[in-house]
C-alpha cells in the first residue's frame, strides 16, 4: 500500500521535473519547435523550403527582430513599450520627408534615430519620473507617434526617394541580404552585451527585485530611462531600414507590430514580471512567429485568422510563463 502511494507521488514529481526542464530550456525547445514547423511544412508544400521563401521570411522579419531586442531588455527590467510600431512608422516617414526636402542622407538617418531616442526618453520620463503605468504611458505615445506620422503625410506613403538610400535595403553579400546580416549582427552584439556587461545585468536585477536593486546602489530610474531610449532608437532604426527596403516612408507601417514583438519576446523566455529572458530567445521567438505567419500564408489562411492565431500564441506564451513561475516556487 505504501509503495503505491510513493509511486503516485513520484509520478507527478517526475512529470513536473520533465515539464520544468523543457520550459526552462526555452531556447532549445523553441529551436526544436522551429525545426518541427520546417519539417512539417516541407511535406505540405514544396515551395516552403525554397531559397526565395526563406529569403522573403528573413527579410520580412528584420524589423520585428531588431525591435524585439529592446522589448526583451525592457521586459527584463519589468517594463514594456507598446509604441514601438508607431515609432518605427514615424521614423520611416520623417526620414523620407527629410530626404525629399534635400537633407543629406546621413543627416536624415541620424535625425530619424534621434526621433526614436526622444520617443524613448518621453516614455522613460513618463514611467519613471511621473509614475504613469507603462501600459497607459506607451499607449499614449503610440497614439501620438502614429498621429504625427499621419498628419505629416495625410495618410499617404512618401515615395520617390533617392536611389542611393535603397542600397542597404536591396543589397546582398554572398547572396545574403545586408538587412539580414545587420540584424543578426545586432542580435549577437546585444546578446553578448546582456550576458557579459554590468549595465545590462543591472536591468535584470531591477526586474527581479527593484527595492533590492535600489538598496544595492543601482540608479533604477536612470537605467530604465536608458532602456526605453535604446528601445526607441532600435524602433527608429527598424523604420529607417524598412524605408530603405520599400523605398518609401509609410505612416501606417508597423500597425499591431507591438503584439508580435511582445509575443515573440515572451515565447522566447522573457517574463512580464521582469528579471528573465535573453536576446537569443527573443530572436528565436521572432523566427517562430514569422514561420507560423509564413506557413499560414502558404496555406492560404485569411489574414484575419492570422491575427487570431498570433493573439492565441501570445496568450499561450503568457500562460506558459505563469506555469514556469509556479513550478519554480
Amino acid at each position: 500500500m505504501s509503495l503505491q502511494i510513493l509511486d503516485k507521488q513520484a509520478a507527478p514529481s517526475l512529470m513536473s521535473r520533465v515539464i520544468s526542464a523543457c520550459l526552462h530550456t526555452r531556447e532549445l525547445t523553441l529551436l526544436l519547435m522551429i525545426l518541427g514547423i520546417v519539417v512539417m511544412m516541407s511535406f505540405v508544400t514544396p515551395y516552403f523550403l525554397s531559397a526565395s521563401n526563406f529569403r522573403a521570411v528573413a527579410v520580412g522579419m528584420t524589423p520585428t527582430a531588431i525591435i524585439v531586442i529592446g522589448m526583451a531588455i525592457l521586459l527584463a527590467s519589468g517594463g514594456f513599450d507598446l509604441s514601438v510600431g508607431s515609432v518605427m512608422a514615424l521614423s520611416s516617414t520623417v526620414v523620407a520627408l527629410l530626404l525629399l526636402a534635400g537633407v543629406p542622407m546621413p543627416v536624415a538617418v541620424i535625425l530619424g534615430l534621434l526621433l526614436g531616442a526622444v520617443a524613448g526618453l518621453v516614455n522613460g520620463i513618463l514611467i519613471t519620473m511621473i509614475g504613469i503605468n507603462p501600459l497607459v504611458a506607451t499607449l499614449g505615445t503610440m497614439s501620438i507617434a502614429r498621429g504625427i506620422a499621419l498628419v505629416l503625410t495625410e495618410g499617404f506613403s512618401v515615395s520617390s526617394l533617392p536611389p542611393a538610400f535603397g542600397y542597404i535595403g536591396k543589397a546582398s553579400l554572398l547572396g545574403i541580404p545586408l538587412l539580414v546580416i545587420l540584424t543578426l549582427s545586432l542580435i549577437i552584439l546585444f546578446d553578448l552585451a546582456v550576458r557579459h556587461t554590468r549595465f545590462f545585468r543591472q536591468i535584470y536585477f531591477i526586474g527581479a527585485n527593484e527595492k533590492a536593486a535600489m538598496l544595492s546602489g543601482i540608479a533604477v530610474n536612470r537605467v530604465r530611462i536608458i532602456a526605453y531610449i535604446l528601445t526607441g532608437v532600435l524602433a527608429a532604426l527598424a523604420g529607417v531600414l524598412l524605408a530603405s527596403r520599400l523605398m518609401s516612408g509609410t505612416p501606417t507601417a508597423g500597425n499591431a507590430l507591438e503584439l508580435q514583438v511582445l509575443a515573440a519576446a515572451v515565447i522566447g523566455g522573457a517574463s512580464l514580471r521582469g528579471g528573465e529572458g535573453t536576446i537569443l530567445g527573443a530572436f528565436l521567438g521572432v523566427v517562430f512567429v514569422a514561420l507560423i505567419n509564413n506557413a499560414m500564408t502558404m496555406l492560404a489562411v485569411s489574414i484575419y485568422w492570422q491575427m487570431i492565431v498570433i493573439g492565441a500564441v501570445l496568450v499561450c506564451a503568457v500562460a506558459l510563463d505563469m506555469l514556469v513561475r509556479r513550478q519554480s516556487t
Side-chain angles (χ1 to χ4, degrees), residues 261-298:
V261 174
L262 265 176
V266 176
I267 289 169
S271 173
L272 295 176
R273 296 186 180 183
E276 295 180 8
T278 64
I279 304 300
L280 177 59
F283 172 68
L284 290 176
V286 171
V287 175
F288 179 73
V289 172
L291 286 178
I292 288 179
N293 283 332
N294 180 250
M296 288 191 293
T297 300
M298 286 200 154

Side-chain angles (χ1 to χ4, degrees), residues 66-81 186-187 189-195 197 199-208 223-232 234 261 265-266 270-271 274-280 282:
I66 291 173
I67 295 174
V68 84
I69 297 171
M71 188 68 77
I73 292 171
L74 280 181
L75 286 169
S77 73
F80 55 86
D81 186 354
L186 288 172
I187 294 294
L189 175 65
F190 277 99
D191 188 72
L192 291 174
V194 164
R195 294 175 190 271
T197 62
F199 172 79
F200 287 107
R201 298 315 302 171
Q202 289 179 339
I203 287 177
Y204 283 84
F205 295 150
I206 292 170
V223 172
R224 275 190 168 152
I225 289 175
I226 293 174
Y228 275 101
I229 292 174
L230 175 62
T231 303
L234 289 170
V261 174
V266 176
S271 173
E276 295 180 8
T278 64
I279 304 300
L280 177 59

Side-chain angles (χ1 to χ4, degrees), residues 138-215:
T138 58
L139 271 176
T141 52
M142 175 182 74
S143 180
I144 292 170
R146 182 74 66 182
I148 293 173
L150 292 171
V151 166
L152 290 174
T153 62
E154 296 184 352
F156 296 100
S157 296
V158 182
S159 55
S160 302
L161 303 183
F165 181 64
Y167 174 76
I168 294 180
K170 305 291 185 181
S172 299
L173 180 64
L174 300 176
I176 304 174
L178 282 182
L179 283 177
V180 176
I181 294 174
L182 176 60
T183 300
L184 291 176
S185 299
L186 288 172
I187 294 294
I188 294 170
L189 175 65
F190 277 99
D191 188 72
L192 291 174
V194 164
R195 294 175 190 271
H196 301 293
T197 62
R198 179 175 177 272
F199 172 79
F200 287 107
R201 298 315 302 171
Q202 289 179 339
I203 287 177
Y204 283 84
F205 295 150
I206 292 170
N209 193 324
E210 182 177 340
K211 290 184 178 179
M214 291 178 67
L215 291 174

